[in-house]
């Protein structure tokens, strides 16, 4: 059939018209309907393109993770469209049963038509199951690829970006947000074509039954669209607020779980309960607010649909009375209206879920768009200048200000540590000790001055090369679920058992590991919960030594050790072959008094540098620390 008004209606949208020949409708009566349909479709395309470019374009990078599932992403909606096509024929068959079979008391005709209904149901079910399989495969595969990409990207971020974003929000985006994106994509692939297709297809099929009665569809569908899209526009930004408040609740939960001992020590259980309840109340209030708005969708759509059905019954009764319509046609029209109701309810749920998914996808994309603040070269630096051949670490007027901080943490720090030396770092709480040593492995970049290791700026080393030369034992001992062996192999995955035992001997951990029933294969729970504080610290020191670094940083990592074990550890480190440079950050003056150099920090300034005896004579801050600890019996001569 040739059309004069326009060309461009999709083949799928034209499928219902193929029934016209068999249903007795005249093309000339519906020629104008093609014009209206094509205009609507074109306008929808313009509207969709505008909102796609305005809202979805920033998420284009995320869609690249769907590349491996293009076939599934296309087949899922196509099978749903095929299912919808068969559904649209059902009311016509029902009308024939009433108009022909029941009216003529033709039982054979009724059975034939019931067989057709059964066949349509079986084919529709097969199409639906196939579509569900493809959509589930595409959505799960997509979320898996996106989760891997997000985790890999987080691993590239420096400590500065991690501090800025926050751990709790990263966990939320990795779990809750990605689950919402997966659910939204699953529904989108199954319903984003089927529901509009059924809505407009049912309206068009209604015109094949009775043009005058079908005009009710023309009024009802725009009203329903206003309700559905209006709710979507209002709720989408509110879902972003919900996720932000969820971040806050998760952050408080994590803070209380990790700091449970501190909370109990200061009897602050009720205070923390109140903080959590306040944050949870804000989250609950916002979720209820969004839920109330979303809940308006179903009753409003049901009211409009039922009013339309009442209007159909009224018009149908009049048409039947004058002989312009058969009873079965009224049943077909009501069925089409019910189909529209079901599909609009699905579309409403789809829009709510997609609104959540888009809000969550925007949050995930915000992390993916966060550029790493540090760039590492690929080539190893060249020859070391002759005057720096013996240098291990050199700080030249170094300053450090954390992102968002109001004041610098380190100011004008200058010193040189030679190969094989032991450098002590001491100072009061918050004086900048950890900040200073974190610049050596380039966890942070100095905001002023320069940091050099082995004669080259740290920025000139590739990541693997730099982290291979410098091993850090953090202030908080952190072990991973597995075995003692698997934790030690983090230092060097190719290390032999002899290497592992040598590192354990130096770290004063061999004795208690040998006492374990399984030795190196003894299980370690997550975080090392089945080990004491001192055991965890010694294992983390051994892990660092397995890598055979050239610079070893112990950031207050022997605080849980007794004096005898601490002294034995320092003696074993000094006896290691080669020219290992050791930085020891400690609150104990006794742990540092045999160091080659001691750096004394006070409020981010280097107020003293020298040996133990020199500092006692020249540095009041060091003398004050030393005297206070000896008077309290916290140091050994």
């Amino acid at each position: 059939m040739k059309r004069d008004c326009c060309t461009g209606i999709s083949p799928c949208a034209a499928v219902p018209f193929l029934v016209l020949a068999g249903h007795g409708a005249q093309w000339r009566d519906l020629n104008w309907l093609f014009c209206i349909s094509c205009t609507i479709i074109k306008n929808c395309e313009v509207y969709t393109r505008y909102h796609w470019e305005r809202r979805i374009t920033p998420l284009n990078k995320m869609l690249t993770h769907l590349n491996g599932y293009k076939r599934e992403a296309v087949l899922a909606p196509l099978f749903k469209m095929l299912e919808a096509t068969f559904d649209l024929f059902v009311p016509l068959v029902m009308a024939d049963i009433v108009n022909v079979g029941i009216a003529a008391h033709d039982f054979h005709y009724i059975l034939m038509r019931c067989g057709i209904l059964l066949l349509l149901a079986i084919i529709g079910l097969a199409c639906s199951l196939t579509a569900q399989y493809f959509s589930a495969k595409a959505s799960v595969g997509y979320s898996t690829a996106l989760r891997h990409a997000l985790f890999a990207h987080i691993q590239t971020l420096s400590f500065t970006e991690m501090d800025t974003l926050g751990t709790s929000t990263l966990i939320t985006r990795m779990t809750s947000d990605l689950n919402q994106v997966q659910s939204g994509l699953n529904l989108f692939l199954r319903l984003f074509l089927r529901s509009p297709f059924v809505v407009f297809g049912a309206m068009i099929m209604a015109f094949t039954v009775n043009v005058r009665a079908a005009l009710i569809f023309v009024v009802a569908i725009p009203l329903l669209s206003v309700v559905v899209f209006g709710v979507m526009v209002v709720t989408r930004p509110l879902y972003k607020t919900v996720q932000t408040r969820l971040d806050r609740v998760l952050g408080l939960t994590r803070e209380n779980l990790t700091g449970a001992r501190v909370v109990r020590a200061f009897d602050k259980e009720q205070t923390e309960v109140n903080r959590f309840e306040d944050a949870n109340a804000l989250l609950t209030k916002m979720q209820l607010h969004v839920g109330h708005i979303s809940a308006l969708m179903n009753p409003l759509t049901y009211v409009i649909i039922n009013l339309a059905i009442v209007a159909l019954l009224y018009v149908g009764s009049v048409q039947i009375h004058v002989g312009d319509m058969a009873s079965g046609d009224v049943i077909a029209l009501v069925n089409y209206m019910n189909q529209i109701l079901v599909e609009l309810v699905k579309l409403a749920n789809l829009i709510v879920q997609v609104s959540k998914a888009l809000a969550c996808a925007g949050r995930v994309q915000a992390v993916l768009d966060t550029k790493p603040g540090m760039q590492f070269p690929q080539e190893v630096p060249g020859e070391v200048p002759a005057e720096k051949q013996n240098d291990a670490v050199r700080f030249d007027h170094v300053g450090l200000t954390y992102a968002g901080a109001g004041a610098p943490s380190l100011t004008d720090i200058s010193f040189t540590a030679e190969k094989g030396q032991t450098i002590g770092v001491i100072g009061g709480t918050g004086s900048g000790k950890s900040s200073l040593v974190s610049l050596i492995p380039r966890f942070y970049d100095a905001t002023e001055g320069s940091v050099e290791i082995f004669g080259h700026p740290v920025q000139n080393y590739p990541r693997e090369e730099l982290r291979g030369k410098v091993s850090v034992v953090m202030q908080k001992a952190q072990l991973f679920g597995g075995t003692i062996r698997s934790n030690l192999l983090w230092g060097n995955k190719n290390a032999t058992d002899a290497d592992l035992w040598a590192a354990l001997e130096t770290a004063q951990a061999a004795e208690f590991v040998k006492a374990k029933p399984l030795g190196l294969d003894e299980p370690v729970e997550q975080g090392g919960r089945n080990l004491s504080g001192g055991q965890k610290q010694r294992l983390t020191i051994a892990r660092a030594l397995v890598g055979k670094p050239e610079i070893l940083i112990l950031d207050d990592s022997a605080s849980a050790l007794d004096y005898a074990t601490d002294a034995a550890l320092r003696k074993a480190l000094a006896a290691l072959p080669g020219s290992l440079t050791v930085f020891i950050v400690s609150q104990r003056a006794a742990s540092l008094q045999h160091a080659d150099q001691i750096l004394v920090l006070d409020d981010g300034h280097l107020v003293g540098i020298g040996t133990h005896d020199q500092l006692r004579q020249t540095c009041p801050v060091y003398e004050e620390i030393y005297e206070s600890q000896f008077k309290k019996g916290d140091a050994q001569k």
Side-chain angles (χ1 to χ4, degrees):
M1 292 183 292
K2 182 177 177 61
R3 291 181 283 115
D4 299 326
C5 61
C6 52
T7 58
I9 189 167
S10 66
C12 291
V15 169
F17 291 106
L18 299 178
V19 208
L20 297 180
H23 199 63
Q26 297 295 320
W27 169 252
R28 63 178 180 273
D29 296 331
L30 296 173
N31 190 37
W32 63 274
L33 182 59
F34 274 113
C35 299
I36 295 176
S37 301
C38 294
T39 302
I40 291 173
I41 291 170
K42 288 181 178 179
N43 289 337
C44 287
E45 288 176 354
V46 173
Y47 176 85
T48 303
R49 189 181 304 114
Y50 168 74
H51 283 273
W52 182 271
E53 292 173 353
R54 189 165 69 93
R55 294 189 176 186
I56 311 300
T57 298
L59 306 179
N60 279 344
K61 295 179 183 177
M62 296 177 64
L63 295 178
T64 59
H65 302 290
L66 198 57
N67 288 342
Y69 303 92
K70 287 182 179 179
R71 182 170 63 93
E72 289 81 0
V74 172
L75 289 176
L78 286 182
F79 273 98
K80 272 295 179 181
M81 293 276 284
L82 188 59
E83 176 201 358
T85 301
F86 288 109
D87 287 347
L88 289 174
F89 288 117
V90 171
L92 297 181
V93 178
M94 290 293 298
D96 284 344
I97 291 175
V98 174
N99 293 339
V100 179
I102 295 179
H105 302 287
D106 189 342
F107 187 69
H108 180 265
Y109 184 88
I110 295 174
L111 288 179
M112 291 292 294
R113 286 296 183 265
C114 288
I116 294 175
L117 288 178
L118 181 61
L119 179 63
L120 290 174
I122 293 174
I123 296 174
L125 176 62
C127 292
S128 178
L129 293 175
T130 306
Q132 177 62 55
Y133 168 77
F134 285 125
S135 63
K137 185 176 180 180
S139 59
V140 172
Y142 170 76
S143 64
T144 301
L146 183 57
R147 186 176 287 109
H148 285 175
L150 180 61
F151 187 81
H153 181 73
I154 291 173
Q155 295 302 313
T156 66
L157 300 178
S158 68
F159 281 20
T160 300
E161 286 82 42
M162 299 283 283
D163 295 341
T164 302
L165 292 171
T167 305
S168 59
T169 187
L170 290 176
I171 294 174
T172 304
R173 298 181 198 204
M174 180 74 70
T175 53
S176 174
D177 286 348
L178 275 175
N179 287 339
Q180 291 284 6
V181 172
Q182 177 181 320
S183 300
L185 180 61
N186 193 343
L187 284 176
F188 183 75
L189 292 176
R190 289 190 289 120
L191 298 178
F192 84 104
L193 284 181
R194 174 194 160 85
S195 293
F197 176 73
V198 171
V199 170
F200 287 102
M203 180 183 71
I204 294 169
M205 296 294 279
F207 275 93
T208 70
V209 177
N210 187 279
V211 174
R212 184 173 300 178
L215 292 174
I216 297 172
F217 289 76
V218 178
V219 176
I221 290 176
L223 291 176
L224 292 166
S225 300
V226 168
V227 172
V228 170
F229 287 100
V231 171
M232 179 192 70
V233 170
V234 173
T235 55
R236 185 173 182 272
L238 296 179
Y239 282 119
K240 288 186 178 180
T241 306
V242 168
Q243 291 300 119
T244 302
R245 293 187 178 179
L246 179 61
D247 285 346
R248 173 63 177 163
V249 171
L250 181 61
L252 287 174
T253 304
R254 180 176 178 275
E255 184 178 314
N256 277 276
L257 289 175
T258 56
R261 297 182 182 225
V262 177
V263 172
R264 292 177 181 176
F266 288 89
D267 193 24
K268 291 292 184 180
E269 290 93 334
Q270 190 58 47
T271 302
E272 293 304 311
V273 168
N274 293 338
R275 287 178 65 206
F276 178 83
E277 288 181 349
D278 291 342
N280 195 42
L282 289 174
L283 173 62
T284 304
K285 182 179 179 181
M286 180 55 66
Q287 286 180 322
L288 288 174
H289 179 54
V290 179
H292 290 158
I293 297 175
S294 299
L296 291 174
M297 192 176 296
N298 282 356
L300 289 177
T301 53
Y302 271 93
V303 167
I304 295 173
I305 286 291
N306 282 290
L307 289 176
I309 290 176
V310 171
L312 278 176
L313 294 175
Y314 174 76
V315 173
S317 64
V318 173
Q319 294 287 309
I320 291 172
H321 183 70
V322 300
D324 290 342
M325 184 186 297
S327 301
D329 294 340
V330 177
I331 294 175
L333 290 173
V334 172
N335 281 340
Y336 279 128
M337 189 63 74
N338 285 327
Q339 281 188 349
I340 291 175
L341 171 62
V342 171
E343 292 305 322
L344 280 174
V345 170
K346 292 180 181 178
L347 185 61
N349 293 329
L350 169 66
I351 289 172
V352 170
Q353 189 63 43
V354 169
S355 296
K356 291 181 182 180
L358 287 176
C360 294
R363 286 160 49 83
V364 173
Q365 185 61 44
V367 178
L368 293 173
D369 287 340
T370 302
K371 303 297 182 183
M374 293 182 180
Q375 300 298 326
F376 290 86
Q378 299 298 320
E379 298 182 357
V380 178
E383 294 294 327
V384 180
E387 65 275 12
K388 298 181 180 179
Q389 288 286 340
N390 202 41
D391 288 356
V393 176
R394 179 190 292 268
F395 275 53
D396 186 12
H397 299 286
V398 170
L400 173 63
T401 303
Y402 289 108
S409 298
L410 295 175
T411 305
D412 196 28
I413 306 294
S414 297
F415 70 89
T416 300
E418 296 181 354
K419 295 178 181 178
Q421 284 190 332
T422 297
I423 309 298
V425 184
I426 196 169
T429 302
S431 59
K433 303 184 297 297
S434 295
S435 297
L436 185 145
V437 295
S438 67
L439 297 176
I440 300 173
R442 205 186 170 198
F443 292 154
Y444 297 92
D445 272 334
T447 51
E448 296 179 5
S450 65
V451 178
E452 298 180 358
I453 66 169
F454 303 112
H456 295 287
V458 289
Q459 292 84 355
N460 292 355
Y461 285 91
R463 186 196 301 268
E464 295 77 10
E465 180 75 12
L466 178 61
R467 303 289 159 79
K469 290 180 177 293
V470 183
S471 285
V472 183
V473 183
M474 297 289 189
Q475 194 168 3
K476 180 181 178 182
Q478 180 63 58
L479 296 173
F480 297 91
T483 63
I484 293 176
R485 183 193 306 276
S486 66
N487 274 274
L488 294 180
L489 289 176
W490 274 62
N492 179 7
K493 63 181 180 180
N494 298 318
T496 63
D497 281 7
D499 295 330
L500 301 184
W501 283 112
L504 289 170
E505 289 285 355
T506 303
Q508 310 304 303
E511 183 179 349
F512 82 82
V513 173
K514 290 177 180 178
K516 298 289 185 181
L518 299 178
L520 290 173
D521 296 314
E522 185 73 16
V524 175
E525 294 183 10
Q526 182 181 2
R529 291 192 300 265
N530 58 333
L531 299 172
S532 67
Q535 290 174 337
K536 287 192 289 186
Q537 285 191 339
R538 282 178 280 174
L539 285 180
T540 55
I541 294 171
R543 180 174 60 192
L545 291 171
V546 167
K548 297 181 179 178
E550 299 177 50
I551 298 174
L552 176 65
I553 299 173
L554 305 178
D555 186 4
D556 204 13
S557 54
S559 57
L561 304 183
D562 56 65
Y563 288 111
T565 305
D566 187 14
L569 171 64
R570 287 185 278 110
K571 183 178 180 181
L573 290 174
L576 287 175
S579 54
L580 175 65
T581 304
V582 182
F583 281 78
I584 302 176
V585 178
S586 179
Q587 299 283 359
R588 299 174 179 173
S591 299
L592 307 178
Q593 61 183 350
H594 299 295
D596 298 300
Q597 289 189 79
I598 300 175
L599 309 179
V600 184
L601 296 178
D602 183 41
D603 196 22
H605 294 80
L606 184 61
V607 296
I609 181 170
T611 63
H612 169 73
D613 294 331
Q614 291 171 346
L615 290 173
R616 289 203 62 189
Q617 300 298 322
T618 61
C619 183
V621 174
Y622 183 81
E623 177 65 15
E624 181 181 354
I625 294 172
Y626 181 81
E627 290 294 334
S628 65
Q629 291 180 359
F630 267 81
K631 287 180 181 178
K632 294 178 181 178
D634 195 30
Q636 299 292 325
K637 293 184 180 180

